[in-house]
Amino acid sequence: MDRPGETTHFGFRDVPLGDKQTLVNDVFHSVAQRYDLMNDLMSVGLHRAWKNLMINALNPPRGEIPFALLDVAGGTGDVAFRAAEAAGGGFRATVCDINSDMLGVGRERAATRHLGDRVAFVEGNAEALAFPDRSFDAYTIAFGIRNVPRIDLALTEAFRVLKPGGRFLCLEFSTVDVPGLDRIYDLFSFRVIPPLGGAVTGDAESYRYLVESIRKFPKPSAFAEMIRGAGFSRVNWQSFSGGIVALHSGWRL
Ligand SMILES: C[S@@+](CC[C@H](N)C(=O)[O-])C[C@H]1O[C@@H](n2cnc3c(N)ncnc32)[C@H](O)[C@@H]1O
């Protein structure tokens, strides 16, 4: 239950906590059809390599052993498809996202790739997952958690739905810590991405929110502390591309 007057940030703006999800949903409704193209353009293709590093860490079984992945804020299915392609016949993924437009694009992509029987798409909120306790072998979330208003609730839910021995992996934009790269990254983020987003999707403001939200996300050490706070063990992270992204890992033991 939100306390009256409680606020959070939506990019650089302070907004009532209860309003953030609606604002985030407007962003992804607006960009859904061109989301994947924009990912390639604004990361110059690097998001593919970062997601592959996440799948390497996940290391889904190659054989027929049953393995259930929950990919939260999974949008158009990119992470789930990569995992399915790396895994064996026992693998099943559930993509859970709050946004029906993103899921719609994902379902079409799954059909095109003939992955419809291995990847299911379910509408739902990371803060209140409609799945039983201890039901998944792994939980992934890529570029999603910073959009969730109550990150602590999402982490608690991740822990709840994982089986003991289950793996939590979160790929998220992080803090660039290479002198020189930080200035280039800022210039690219604030001067290039919003106009590019405007040209490709007709919505520069949504891309302004996306780059601002990256700057508001906690530093990796602080986020690792939040993951520990939700009950996870053996929590660690790895930074990639000079700190542009970090892969956080934890286990439900
Ligand atoms: C930047 S996209 C990431 C999509 C995908 N994981 C990827 O890496 O391509 C963020 C996604 O988070 C979803 N999202 C935002 N708030 C959410 C929430 N509370 N619960 C579930 N999904 C949420 C959005 O709808 C959007 O699809």
Side-chain angles (χ1 to χ4, degrees):
M1 189 73 172
D2 300 341
R3 286 186 292 272
E6 208 171 351
T7 61
T8 187
H9 40 77
F10 174 73
F12 289 164
R13 276 164 57 196
D14 282 329
V15 296
L17 183 58
D19 291 0
K20 174 164 172 171
Q21 190 70 66
T22 308
L23 292 163
V24 166
N25 293 350
D26 290 346
V27 165
F28 290 102
H29 282 305
S30 164
V31 305
Q33 292 302 326
R34 313 219 80 185
Y35 173 79
D36 293 299
L37 171 63
M38 261 309 282
N39 264 358
D40 274 332
L41 294 177
M42 68 183 185
S43 75
V44 286
L46 278 172
H47 76 105
R48 295 166 181 255
W50 296 327
K51 286 171 181 163
N52 287 343
L53 288 164
M54 185 188 217
I55 303 307
N56 287 348
L58 178 68
N59 193 21
R62 306 285 187 276
E64 299 303 313
I65 305 165
F67 186 88
L69 168 69
L70 177 63
D71 183 44
V72 173
T76 60
D78 226 21
V79 167
F81 299 154
R82 283 168 202 277
E85 280 156 6
F91 175 90
R92 295 289 177 276
T94 304
V95 175
C96 173
D97 197 285
I98 204 163
N99 194 301
S100 56
D101 289 335
M102 294 290 279
L103 291 170
V105 174
R107 285 190 189 101
E108 282 170 21
R109 294 178 80 204
T112 309
R113 290 162 180 242
H114 306 290
L115 286 171
D117 54 341
R118 301 175 76 206
V119 181
F121 290 83
V122 175
E123 197 170 320
N125 188 340
E127 295 178 353
L129 296 171
F131 304 107
D133 296 358
R134 302 169 181 231
S135 45
F136 292 95
D137 297 290
Y139 173 114
T140 49
I141 183 163
F143 308 116
I145 206 150
R146 74 179 193 286
N147 298 295
V148 175
R150 300 164 195 82
I151 291 175
D152 50 341
L153 284 187
L155 293 173
T156 304
E157 281 290 85
F159 188 84
R160 180 183 67 76
V161 300
L162 275 172
K163 296 177 188 170
R167 182 93 186 262
F168 168 86
L169 285 169
C170 173
L171 187 64
E172 190 50 272
F173 289 105
S174 191
T175 310
V176 173
D177 51 11
V178 176
L181 178 64
D182 49 358
R183 289 189 30 226
I184 296 166
Y185 181 62
D186 273 352
L187 272 175
F188 185 73
S189 299
F190 290 102
R191 299 275 173 83
V192 177
I193 290 181
L196 181 65
V200 174
T201 68
D203 182 0
E205 273 315 298
S206 285
Y207 282 90
R208 191 174 314 285
Y209 156 72
L210 290 173
V211 294
E212 290 179 1
S213 65
I214 291 169
R215 301 317 191 274
K216 288 298 210 180
F217 192 68
K219 297 218 170 345
S221 56
F223 185 50
E225 212 38 61
M226 294 173 76
I227 298 170
R228 277 187 207 100
F232 288 101
S233 305
R234 291 167 55 195
V235 173
N236 60 33
W237 77 88
Q238 256 185 295
S239 294
F240 302 121
S241 307
I244 294 177
V245 299
L247 178 64
H248 288 263
S249 165
W251 295 83
R252 176 173 183 168
L253 294 181

